[in-house]
Amino acid sequence: MCNYFRTRFFLIVLLSFIGISQCVWADYPIASHRYLADPGALVYNGRVYLYCSNDDDNPTGEKSSYQMNSIVCISSSDLKNWTDHGVVFQVPRDAAWAPKSWAPSPATRDGKIFLYFGNGGNGIGVAKSDNPLGPFKDPIGKALVSSETPGVMPARNMWLFDPMTFIDDDGQAYMYFGGNGDNNVRVIKLNKDMISVDGPAIPLTAQDFFEASWMHKENGIYYFSYSSNPRAQMRIDYMKSISPISGFTYGGVISKQPPLNDNNNHQAIFKFNGVWYEAYHNRIVAKQANIPPTYKRNICLDSFSHNPDGTINVMENTADGVKQQASLNPFDRTEAETFNAQSGIKTEVCKAGGMNVCQIDNGDFIKVRGVDFGKGAASFQASVAATSGGSIEIRLDGKDGQLMGTLPVANTGGDQSWKTLTCKIKSVKGIHDLFFVFKGKKENAFNFDWWKFSAK
Ligand code: FUB
């Protein structure tokens, strides 16, 4: 992978030189409490699942590098409030042969979920699960595609990574992959089992091809999209064809280099409720935190459209452009790690199952977007665990917005000793953004697992 890092250094220098703007303030950080990158999207049972390289695996600091060896999943049904499901796959724990797990892409067949990942740039693995949240395990004990796979070589300085598995309408699965050179795109057929290949890899050529292969199909046209190289400013470009494996011609740009990214770009394209979206990463969270941003990326989301002639309109990167798909129902139990924005908190594996919010300090908050209280809520309950304690202020439409009630949180006997506590609230009706503002005298005041309101 030396070449990979050499090229990356080159592109950082190049972009600084040509002055790609650092002052554009447009973005959409999803799951801003953790560093995630290289999304791969799966639409499954009414939810969007994004599987991501876990940049929290990369140390902070000037001497950092890409060391991701786990994959994190986040999901949403409304595209505004995202649930953090934590690590769903980790190497070598779940695939003994692979030291790295980069840039995953999911696919589903016959009730199973398959996750394809790059072992750095040195081969492609597959993991399988019955559940989109895992646990994912390697079913074959070796790389699915390596440099030994017929058709992969010859390729000059190829990065053998960034797989994307696409299942066509006739059920045939194709995996696209490769990097670092116009002639380094490959597509290979997968068998129905999704864990073995059918025949050799087929070479494709894409102008300025760098990395991040993706395939989507609309109105009978196959769109192969990819990140272009630094010379082409690492846009997401596309080629079109009426075949998934040949006949591609350059189509244009889907999206420009994202604002506040200034480095590698990686897209996942999916259709949800009839609209096409591109999930991608940039580096706004690290830049705001004033830490070196190269290896600390965060996820973003925007939408784009196709024209009747088959071309794609260049996507606009926005601060808040995606529409909320449905209001959140506060009378159902909602995981605390489901939110639109946050300040100061982290998440961790919860002994009661799933994840919980942790590292809660005085003044930290969570924002839940578009909550429909209908004809009114009267009380609030939350599952919390504390050795220290504090309180949750329930506010509307801002962290300093109207105070509806306060839930005192006393010592429950431990940071994973969960208790359900209840408080009365002022009557609240209609749709609001909900803010949980945390108070506490000591750091790590308490942990928060889930919440729910009761109707009047
Ligand atoms: O995250 C490591 C690499 O950076 C990915 O494999 C590429 O697509 C680029 O985003």
Side-chain angles (χ1 to χ4, degrees):
M1 279 309 291
C2 288
N3 273 329
Y4 188 79
F5 296 111
R6 224 177 288 134
T7 309
R8 196 150 301 295
F9 177 73
F10 164 76
L11 68 87
I12 292 165
V13 172
L14 178 78
L15 283 178
S16 318
F17 180 70
I18 61 178
I20 293 284
S21 172
Q22 293 247 355
C23 60
V24 184
W25 196 256
D27 192 66
Y28 201 162
I30 290 172
S32 60
H33 62 298
R34 62 189 312 163
Y35 292 107
L36 302 174
D38 304 327
L42 175 73
V43 176
Y44 189 76
N45 286 345
R47 290 186 80 80
V48 176
Y49 293 85
L50 296 179
Y51 298 87
C52 309
S53 298
N54 187 3
D55 276 9
D56 282 334
D57 292 339
N58 304 331
T60 309
E62 297 297 341
K63 290 193 177 148
S64 189
S65 61
Y66 291 116
Q67 298 179 20
M68 301 85 72
N69 70 333
S70 63
I71 292 171
V72 168
C73 179
I74 56 175
S75 80
S76 179
S77 59
D78 66 13
L79 302 186
K80 282 296 190 201
N81 298 301
W82 289 82
T83 304
D84 176 358
H85 302 290
V87 169
V88 295
F89 178 72
Q90 189 172 7
V91 293
R93 183 191 69 187
D94 301 324
W97 62 273
K100 292 187 176 136
S101 61
W102 291 11
S105 110
T108 181
R109 193 198 283 282
D110 299 333
K112 308 280 182 213
I113 317 292
F114 300 88
L115 212 46
Y116 301 86
F117 63 95
N119 171 30
N122 296 316
I124 291 164
V126 59
K128 186 177 176 184
S129 177
D130 294 332
N131 189 307
L133 305 183
F136 286 91
K137 300 284 174 197
D138 164 28
I140 57 176
K142 59 180 182 180
L144 172 63
V145 167
S146 71
S147 54
E148 310 290 302
T149 305
V152 170
M153 294 295 159
R156 199 162 160 256
N157 299 328
M158 182 198 250
W159 299 331
L160 188 34
F161 71 172
D162 285 4
M164 190 281 164
T165 296
F166 163 78
I167 305 181
D168 206 351
D169 302 331
D170 63 2
Q172 176 63 55
Y174 301 91
M175 189 169 78
Y176 300 81
F177 58 92
N180 197 31
D182 291 13
N183 298 318
N184 288 353
V185 188
R186 298 287 181 274
V187 53
I188 196 163
K189 284 185 180 175
L190 299 185
N191 288 313
K192 270 233 154 103
D193 64 10
M194 303 291 279
I195 58 170
S196 61
V197 299
D198 176 11
I202 300 161
L204 299 175
T205 297
Q207 79 178 45
D208 299 316
F209 178 66
F210 199 49
E211 53 194 3
S213 295
W214 196 270
M215 170 57 64
H216 76 275
K217 189 180 182 185
E218 175 73 340
N219 291 330
I221 299 176
Y222 296 86
Y223 293 87
F224 174 79
S225 56
Y226 58 98
S227 167
S228 64
N229 59 29
R231 192 163 48 89
Q233 294 162 17
M234 291 173 291
R235 304 175 303 246
I236 301 302
D237 284 5
Y238 69 99
M239 303 196 296
K240 299 188 288 171
S241 177
I242 51 166
S243 157
I245 55 170
S246 62
F248 284 95
T249 53
Y250 182 75
V253 177
I254 298 183
S255 58
K256 296 181 185 149
Q257 166 70 203
L260 294 159
N261 190 42
D262 310 330
N263 206 312
N264 59 24
N265 194 356
H266 192 117
Q267 83 294 11
I269 289 176
F270 61 94
K271 197 177 197 176
F272 188 59
N273 297 338
V275 174
W276 284 99
Y277 295 92
E278 183 196 307
Y280 55 99
H281 64 232
N282 73 0
R283 288 161 164 92
I284 185 173
V285 176
K287 287 184 179 194
Q288 281 180 328
N290 212 16
I291 63 166
T294 305
Y295 307 104
K296 295 288 182 188
R297 299 162 290 179
N298 56 266
I299 300 296
C300 312
L301 183 69
D302 275 297
S303 62
F304 69 92
S305 60
H306 300 76
N307 293 310
D309 67 359
T311 56
I312 290 177
N313 292 306
V314 179
M315 185 180 86
E316 196 192 339
N317 299 93
T318 69
D320 195 15
V322 168
K323 285 203 184 100
Q324 184 159 1
Q325 302 292 295
S327 305
L328 190 138
N329 180 354
F331 307 113
D332 284 344
R333 168 179 157 155
T334 298
E335 297 302 311
E337 63 275 13
T338 298
F339 49 81
N340 173 249
Q342 59 78 36
S343 175
I345 61 94
K346 291 284 177 198
T347 55
E348 65 182 5
V349 173
C350 180
K351 271 201 182 143
M355 304 284 285
N356 63 259
V357 168
C358 63
Q359 295 189 27
I360 290 175
D361 300 332
N362 191 43
D364 291 350
F365 69 85
I366 285 171
K367 173 184 179 183
V368 185
R369 191 77 172 261
V371 178
D372 189 356
F373 290 95
K375 289 188 181 139
S379 66
F380 171 74
Q381 57 177 292
S383 176
V384 291
T387 42
S388 169
S391 63
I392 304 176
E393 291 182 355
I394 303 145
R395 292 183 178 269
L396 297 184
D397 303 319
K399 73 180 172 58
D400 301 314
Q402 193 186 357
L403 181 63
M404 304 311 296
T406 301
L407 181 75
V409 178
N411 187 336
T412 61
D415 290 337
Q416 287 291 328
S417 298
W418 297 98
K419 266 197 182 151
T420 303
L421 305 177
T422 306
C423 71
K424 285 212 158 46
I425 57 162
K426 286 183 196 154
S427 178
V428 44
K429 294 180 184 167
I431 299 176
H432 297 272
D433 293 341
L434 176 64
F435 284 75
F436 296 124
V437 182
F438 305 116
K439 300 287 169 188
K441 288 209 172 89
K442 293 194 181 150
E443 289 190 347
N444 297 319
F446 54 93
N447 290 336
F448 185 15
D449 188 16
W450 58 264
W451 60 268
K452 186 180 172 170
F453 287 82
S454 300
K456 269 213 276 189

